Amino acid sequence: MIAADLKIAQERLQDLLDAAKVVVPFTGAGISTECGIPDFRSPGGLWTKNQPIPFDAFLSSQEMRDEAWRRRFAMEEHFSAARPGRGHLALASLYRASKVPAVITQNIDNLHHASGFEADDVVELHGNTTYAHCLDCARRYELAWVKERFEAQGHAPDCTACGGLIKTATISFGQSMPLAAMRRSEELTAACDLFIAIGSSLVVWPAAGFPLMAKHNGAHLVIINREPTEFDEIADLVARQDIGTVLAPFIAH
Ligand SMILES: [Zn+2]
């Protein structure tokens, strides 16, 4: 059902949460917009102005690596200032109450961690942009270090341990999906009896397969998103109101 009324949406969500044993949230950009993180894919978003740099271009060209890093540094004021929003806090409350074992996210902004989830319980399908790593030996690098080196030498630095390329810990276009995260997402989806998709247009595959998988497994499906999605028809509850507003009553105080 599509809940046109905010109150009805919240009551129905409360009923579904009360009835559920294992709740798995799946989050997209919409949960972070109230935190000042722009939705890259949205019309007018960064990716419609700046074409994303594909993974093979990053690998093959110092120029592209430098451009990728310049863009990342330009975004730093958004990412470093962002704090968890009401949606993040509501999910963290359900996590602390042992209702939610882990969250699956398409977001790269680290805000689920910041809201209180253990790192192991944030399944990041697209990685994390708040730190970097070496593509060869996986050594971790902080962004401040990369920026300092970039500014000192005029181009993106390589790994000091092995000479490999340093990239934000995100999954770029053309880069293979992280297998462990995909597997964990499937396990969580199979184990839940309530799947809540929040702030995702549910169009990016394979991530978009999870709501469908949950429904096929007999779980209830809730979709909270400003825009319609192609799974609205099979959902047990669809709320198209503002995400933070819908989830605010579920924050434990
Ligand atoms: Zn390395």
Side-chain angles (χ1 to χ4, degrees):
M1 63 167 271
I2 298 172
D5 180 77
L6 173 66
K7 203 98 200 112
I8 290 170
Q10 289 166 334
E11 283 171 12
R12 177 97 174 110
L13 180 56
Q14 183 71 66
D15 290 345
L16 287 163
L17 284 168
D18 289 344
K21 284 196 178 66
V22 181
V23 180
V24 169
F26 174 97
T27 64
I31 197 172
S32 294
T33 46
E34 75 174 18
C35 311
I37 305 285
D39 181 355
F40 303 104
R41 287 186 176 82
S42 70
L46 214 59
W47 285 356
T48 57
K49 289 178 228 153
N50 271 333
Q51 284 294 310
I53 295 167
F55 189 54
D56 57 357
F58 184 94
L59 292 182
S60 61
S61 153
Q62 177 77 44
E63 207 176 310
M64 282 291 123
R65 290 195 287 282
D66 293 348
E67 173 62 12
W69 276 110
R70 269 192 295 269
R71 289 183 190 182
R72 179 59 188 84
F73 298 145
M75 290 295 300
E76 185 54 11
E77 58 181 300
H78 292 282
F79 283 110
S80 62
R83 298 289 174 269
R86 292 168 296 172
H88 299 96
L89 296 175
L91 296 182
S93 297
L94 293 166
Y95 173 67
R96 275 195 301 275
S98 300
K99 202 79 169 166
V100 164
V103 58
I104 307 169
T105 188
Q106 296 174 291
N107 298 338
I108 56 176
D109 55 30
N110 208 53
L111 290 176
H112 288 300
H113 304 79
S115 74
F117 277 82
E118 295 292 329
D120 283 350
D121 295 329
V122 182
V123 183
E124 296 174 311
L125 294 170
H126 297 167
N128 190 311
T129 192
T130 63
Y131 60 93
H133 60 191
C134 169
L135 290 173
D136 289 336
C137 74
R139 173 185 278 221
R140 176 175 167 138
Y141 289 92
E142 302 309 319
L143 262 49
W145 181 89
V146 178
K147 188 161 193 272
E148 204 185 295
R149 297 298 292 256
F150 189 109
E151 283 168 356
Q153 62 194 33
H155 57 82
D158 295 330
C159 180
T160 53
C162 79
L165 303 178
I166 297 174
K167 181 179 172 296
T168 55
T170 48
I171 309 298
S172 297
F173 285 92
Q175 194 170 2
S176 55
M177 294 293 287
L179 268 182
M182 284 297 293
R183 200 168 300 128
R184 181 92 191 279
S185 300
E186 286 170 14
E187 287 165 4
L188 285 164
T189 303
C192 77
D193 54 1
L194 176 59
F195 189 96
I196 311 181
I198 303 166
S200 171
S201 53
L202 302 175
V203 291
V204 182
W205 290 81
F210 296 120
L212 201 59
M213 195 188 299
K215 193 67 189 165
H216 282 164
N217 284 337
H220 284 122
L221 173 63
V222 172
I223 296 174
I224 307 172
N225 196 47
R226 292 305 292 262
E227 309 296 327
T229 78
E230 62 174 299
F231 301 110
D232 288 359
E233 272 180 31
I234 62 163
D236 299 277
L237 170 65
V238 177
R240 292 194 186 140
Q241 292 86 358
D242 174 69
I243 291 163
T245 307
V246 172
L247 292 174
F250 301 91
I251 302 171
H253 294 286

